[in-house]
Amino acid sequence: MSISLSAPAADSIERLEIVNPASEAILAELTSADRNDLDRMVAAATEAFPAWRDTPLAQRKTAIQGIGKLITENADELAALLTAEQGKPLAQARSELSGAAAWCTGIADQAIEDEMLQETAERIVVKRHVPLGVVGAIVPWNYPVALAIWKIAPAIVTGNCIIVKPSPFTPLTTMRVIELAQALLPTGVLQVIVGGDALGPWMTEHPGITKISFTGSTATGRRVMASCSASLKRVTLELGGNDAAIVFPDVDVDAVVPQIFWTAFVNSGQLCVATKRVYIHEDIYDEFRDALIAFSRTVMMGDGAAEGVALGPVQNRQQYERLQSLLAETAGGAANQITPQPVSNSSGYFVPVTFIDNPPEDSSIVQEEQFGPILPLLKFSDTDDVIRRVNASEFGLGGSVWTTDPDLAIEVAQKIDSGSVWINQPQYLSPFVPFSGHKQSGLGVENGRDGILEYTNVQTITRGPIG
Ligand code: NAD
């Protein structure tokens, strides 16, 4: 498959190769944007901003709903492109796109109106949520379209202009979605810029950008925040996670195993809120581990474009190599590596599903974010002790509790230090439900009313008696 898409005009000659992770074939070559391209886009967004801010809310809502409709209408083309550049199986690419479309509607439905705070004979006080200006959106490679829409929809509906920087590994589908969406918006309101490693820092430093909404790793998030501090840009940071699932001995093993499997391995584990460690009560540890191994044999890994494939490759060579080094480190340790279905592709970044059988708590595979299809299984016997182990982490993004005891479930969920906790169900994300990271998993909120408000400043207007 060869794709020809135009990148923004650029004076520099830096080229970006976009690679299909299932075959390592080059899908497209793009010219990397340079600083002048960014300056031109910021200037266009700055010029478009006053008119877009003053556009009636109803029109802004219609525009964002229209973008959702365009994503749905073009889902076949977009899903094929997304699978080719990201690696996820076609069904998961479709579900990312249908999620993105649902976000457009859901965010538009919650647009924030002015609020009357006081209305007396002496004064009237109105609270407004005014847009910030030009937003820079920086997006990772795991869910490139969905995570871009999580930023585009609230930015646009609140009256901002936005420049989106996809990951240089996965820019193609985002470029196509934005190309389609631009037909519904005035020039300069929504733009996309693609570039190499220097581009993100240029955006976070740029004096014309008033907010950065960043999704990516915690290490990069720290750099983004430091850079934004120079001009006191608003920042929203959605960062890494090391989510734990806690499985109590009263669960129905057959019912829970497939659910835990998919919470960990969807998109080959490349999900910020993937289950990245499973704590299983010692009474059912062996039974649960063996059932997970058996279930994983029913799931096919391969090129996401092929029929029947449910797990794709990891997205890029760097991630592949990081996973290989985690495996090598674990191989030298005390725990068994269990690989139920080895893969034998001569090309592509394929890492087979691998379970690490009860590794030491301080091993890298337990303490770090693996972001791939390798899952440590850990034994516990005491509830307070497992909560302590789960919380002994710099991350605090999500987590889950699995038990038939409702009181225990709530008690444990409330003690987990993370922004989202799910009880007896896989990760539920919604445009209506705030999503945030505690500790070093992030700063600020996406989604829901709280997430939309992050694209605004509060302004109060107080009026005394007239005449
Ligand atoms: P990354 O941090 O390497 O890159 C993310 C984006 O930041 C890319 O667009 C990259 O080009 C850009 N970037 C790199 N250096 C930059 C800098 N100095 N300044 C500004 N921008 C810069 O992350 P990744 O490897 O693309 O994605 C995987 C990570 O993202 C994982 O840690 C995962 O948990 C996290 N993630 C978090 C969420 C969430 O909502 N919390 C969602 C998805 C992924």
Side-chain angles (χ1 to χ4, degrees):
M1 185 171 181
S2 157
I3 291 148
S4 130
L5 277 169
S6 54
D11 306 328
S12 85
I13 49 156
E14 193 192 342
R15 309 287 294 167
L16 294 174
E17 283 183 350
I18 315 305
V19 172
N20 180 331
S23 62
E24 297 176 61
I26 294 171
L27 282 172
E29 265 197 78
L30 306 178
T31 306
S32 181
D34 66 10
R35 237 184 229 269
N36 293 331
D37 298 317
L38 178 63
D39 287 344
R40 276 193 287 273
M41 286 197 195
V42 174
T46 306
E47 197 182 328
F49 174 61
W52 185 244
R53 176 194 59 202
D54 297 340
T55 299
L57 176 60
Q59 250 171 276
R60 301 201 304 260
K61 283 185 181 189
T62 305
I64 199 71
Q65 285 159 343
I67 295 172
K69 205 158 164 263
L70 280 174
I71 292 174
T72 305
E73 285 166 3
N74 293 277
D76 288 345
E77 172 206 337
L78 294 171
L81 191 53
L82 185 54
T83 291
E85 69 171 337
Q86 204 285 328
K88 66 187 57 170
L90 262 179
Q92 288 175 35
R94 284 184 177 283
S95 114
E96 178 173 345
L97 293 163
S98 62
W103 245 258
C104 291
T105 321
I107 294 294
D109 282 351
Q110 302 169 77
I112 311 294
E113 314 266 357
D114 293 354
E115 222 178 293
M116 181 74 78
L117 296 183
Q118 275 183 33
E119 193 172 13
T120 63
E122 290 77 38
R123 68 184 61 83
I124 294 172
V125 184
V126 174
K127 180 167 82 163
R128 307 179 65 222
H129 295 281
V130 297
L132 301 168
V134 180
V135 173
I138 301 181
V139 183
W141 44 257
N142 60 336
Y143 285 85
V145 178
L147 295 174
I149 290 290
W150 282 25
K151 303 177 189 314
I152 293 169
I156 284 186
V157 86
T158 47
N160 297 280
C161 296
I162 182 164
I163 300 170
V164 179
K165 189 196 93 57
S167 164
F169 292 110
T170 54
L172 302 177
T173 321
T174 311
M175 289 168 74
R176 180 69 183 131
V177 166
I178 290 178
E179 185 181 48
L180 291 166
Q182 281 171 336
L184 303 178
L185 294 163
T187 304
V189 171
L190 170 62
Q191 301 174 86
V192 58
I193 188 159
V194 180
D197 292 346
L199 179 58
W202 291 339
M203 288 177 74
T204 56
E205 284 162 16
H206 203 291
I209 293 180
T210 43
K211 177 194 169 86
I212 292 286
S213 179
F214 172 84
T215 303
S217 63
T218 295
T220 310
R222 289 191 195 105
R223 288 195 278 275
V224 167
M225 191 164 165
S227 171
C228 287
S229 72
S231 56
L232 283 183
K233 284 185 180 54
R234 276 71 181 134
V235 282
T236 301
L237 303 175
E238 292 292 356
L239 309 177
N242 191 10
D243 294 10
I246 306 175
V247 184
F248 284 94
D250 58 354
V251 297
D252 174 347
V253 171
D254 290 341
V256 171
V257 156
Q259 298 188 70
I260 294 273
F261 180 88
W262 286 117
T263 66
F265 292 103
V266 66
N267 199 27
S268 291
Q270 302 162 113
L271 168 67
C272 53
V273 284
T275 296
K276 292 176 182 139
R277 36 191 181 136
V278 188
Y279 290 88
I280 305 163
H281 193 275
E282 62 181 1
D283 290 355
I284 57 162
Y285 181 87
D286 289 358
E287 181 192 359
F288 200 91
R289 176 200 57 206
D290 294 348
L292 267 174
I293 293 165
F295 182 81
S296 69
R297 292 206 174 94
T298 67
V299 180
M300 198 199 297
M301 180 176 275
D303 183 335
E307 190 76 21
V309 165
L311 289 173
V314 296
Q315 201 282 321
N316 55 67
R317 175 158 292 283
Q318 273 160 259
Q319 190 57 20
Y320 175 83
E321 281 166 3
R322 153 135 181 88
L323 293 167
Q324 295 304 332
S325 85
L326 269 177
L327 284 172
E329 192 182 320
T330 313
N336 240 346
Q337 278 184 16
I338 304 160
T339 308
Q341 269 189 315
V343 287
S344 57
N345 286 59
S346 53
S347 60
Y349 310 133
F350 289 97
V351 178
V353 167
T354 305
F355 299 101
I356 313 295
D357 191 2
N358 205 26
E361 193 70 18
D362 63 357
S363 51
S364 305
I365 191 64
V366 180
Q367 294 302 321
E368 295 175 13
E369 181 184 41
Q370 65 273 48
F371 220 60
I374 306 172
L375 185 64
L377 309 177
L378 299 127
K379 264 184 212 178
F380 79 93
S381 54
D382 176 75
T383 303
D384 289 339
D385 180 56
V386 77
I387 293 169
R388 184 192 56 72
R389 289 159 72 189
V390 165
N391 286 337
S393 168
E394 69 179 26
F395 296 112
L397 195 58
S400 60
V401 184
W402 303 79
T403 172
T404 52
D405 178 341
D407 295 335
L408 177 67
I410 291 290
E411 188 195 323
V412 173
Q414 289 178 347
K415 288 181 178 164
I416 295 179
D417 299 337
S418 70
S420 306
V421 184
W422 297 279
I423 296 172
N424 294 335
Q425 65 166 303
Q427 305 90 344
Y428 174 73
L429 302 170
S430 154
F432 298 95
V433 178
F435 178 73
S436 67
H438 293 188
K439 298 189 274 186
Q440 295 192 39
S441 284
L443 193 76
V445 183
E446 287 199 297
N447 307 328
R449 186 182 155 83
D450 304 84
I452 297 170
L453 288 176
E454 298 232 345
Y455 290 85
T456 65
N457 275 326
V458 169
Q459 181 190 49
T460 58
I461 297 186
T462 304
R463 202 176 84 188
I466 294 178

